[in-house]
Amino acid sequence: DTGVSQNPRHKITKRGQNVTFRCDPISEHNRLYWYRQTLGQGPEFLTYFQNEAQLEKSRLLSDRFSAERPKGSFSTLEIQRTEQGDSAMYLCASSTPMGATNEKLFFGSGTQLSVL
Amino acid sequence: RKEVEQDPGPFNVPEGATVAFNCTYSNSASQSFFWYRQDCRKEPKLLMSVYSSGNEDGRFTAQLNRASQYISLLIRDSKLSDSATYLCVVNMLKHGGSQGNLIFGKGTKLSVKP
């Protein structure tokens, strides 16, 4: 499978625990995005990387959220001290922009987080 | 104004109907516009990019109005298989920058009935 891979598919945790999600993008893609989606809403932008550089992180929901892409390949999203409001689907997408105005995102299947 | 705003929906239409979705965006510097489709419990997938001159792909037509900061998607002769949520996506450029964040609207749900 050469698509975007996310692990785990589901994560159930207790409030206050830390969780980490992994995303493996399509190998030749240099951009990687993280989104959060709750029921009935569109994906909410969190952060994105160009290779290993995190170009936007001001939209991470709080300082409990952090993301890394240390070698410009896979990425991790960590949520510390989880809260019930963090329960959502966390989506990763990758792309290789074809010019300034043409960028197709390929999404993974997401990690569904449930905080009890 | 919200960064990307869409018709709330849901749209319930009979097969064969023509349906139009609208989307407005707040950042006049935005240069990239897209429509994505998301099926229930699936990830979003690109439906089509939106170009300045407007573009068509089969039964789907996308239009861009930069002056009004508005994009649209028209679906003609709708099929049962068109039932999905349609997401408007805009590249929110930072002032003076060339990079941007791809921001999704909340989506409009379409149900096509036999």
Side-chain angles (χ1 to χ4, degrees), chain B residues 25-37:
Chain B
Y25 59 95
S26 62
N27 188 336
S28 60
S30 295
Q31 294 185 22
S32 306
F33 311 91
F34 310 91
W35 284 100
Y36 276 70
R37 170 189 169 133

Side-chain angles (χ1 to χ4, degrees), chain A residues 26-41:
Chain A
I26 294 171
S27 58
E28 62 269 26
H29 285 184
N30 55 12
R31 282 198 187 167
L32 186 149
Y33 294 78
W34 284 101
Y35 289 87
R36 182 179 83 157
Q37 187 171 27
T38 53
L39 200 62
Q41 302 294 313

Side-chain angles (χ1 to χ4, degrees), chain A residues 31 33 35 37 40-43 45 48 50 55-56 59 91 100-105 107-109, chain B residues 3 31-32 34 36 38 43-44 46 49 51 87 91-92 94 99-107:
Chain A
R31 282 198 187 167
Y33 294 78
Y35 289 87
Q37 187 171 27
Q41 302 294 313
F45 176 87
Y48 88 104
Q50 174 100 1
L55 297 185
E56 177 62 72
R59 292 177 183 251
L91 293 165
T101 60
N102 190 1
E103 181 172 5
K104 179 177 179 178
L105 293 181
F107 281 87
S109 299
Chain B
E3 289 183 303
Q31 294 185 22
S32 306
F34 310 91
Y36 276 70
Q38 187 171 26
E43 70 275 16
L46 179 67
S49 302
Y51 302 120
L87 298 158
N91 184 322
M92 289 288 167
K94 293 183 179 180
Q99 303 284 0
N101 310 328
L102 287 173
I103 305 298
F104 282 70
K106 290 188 175 183

Side-chain angles (χ1 to χ4, degrees), chain B residues 4 8 12 15-17 24 28 31-32 34-35 37 43 46-48 53 55 60 65 103 111:
Chain B
V4 180
N12 298 306
E15 260 187 301
T24 57
S28 60
Q31 294 185 22
S32 306
F34 310 91
W35 284 100
R37 170 189 169 133
E43 70 275 16
L46 179 67
L47 177 65
M48 58 196 303
S53 55
N55 48 298
F60 299 83
N65 184 324
I103 305 298
S111 292

Side-chain angles (χ1 to χ4, degrees), chain A:
Chain A
D1 186 352
T2 57
V4 178
S5 176
Q6 291 189 246
N7 288 288
R9 291 292 302 275
H10 303 276
K11 179 69 178 178
I12 300 173
T13 192
K14 292 183 179 179
R15 190 172 45 147
Q17 298 295 306
N18 298 344
V19 294
T20 299
F21 310 139
R22 176 176 170 126
C23 173
D24 288 90
I26 294 171
S27 58
E28 62 269 26
H29 285 184
N30 55 12
R31 282 198 187 167
L32 186 149
Y33 294 78
W34 284 101
Y35 289 87
R36 182 179 83 157
Q37 187 171 27
T38 53
L39 200 62
Q41 302 294 313
E44 179 182 12
F45 176 87
L46 297 179
T47 187
Y48 88 104
F49 295 84
Q50 174 100 1
N51 300 311
E52 66 275 12
Q54 190 173 12
L55 297 185
E56 177 62 72
K57 54 183 178 181
S58 66
R59 292 177 183 251
L60 287 167
L61 299 165
S62 77
D63 58 8
R64 298 184 296 105
F65 286 71
S66 63
E68 294 183 343
R69 194 182 183 196
K71 297 183 180 178
S73 56
F74 74 92
S75 175
T76 57
L77 178 70
E78 182 182 17
I79 309 173
Q80 296 182 326
R81 305 181 303 281
T82 52
E83 301 173 357
Q84 288 183 325
D86 297 333
S87 297
M89 176 71 81
Y90 290 84
L91 293 165
C92 174
S94 69
S95 74
T96 294
M98 306 291 286
T101 60
N102 190 1
E103 181 172 5
K104 179 177 179 178
L105 293 181
F106 292 82
F107 281 87
S109 299
T111 294
Q112 180 67 52
L113 173 66
S114 297
V115 182
L116 305 178

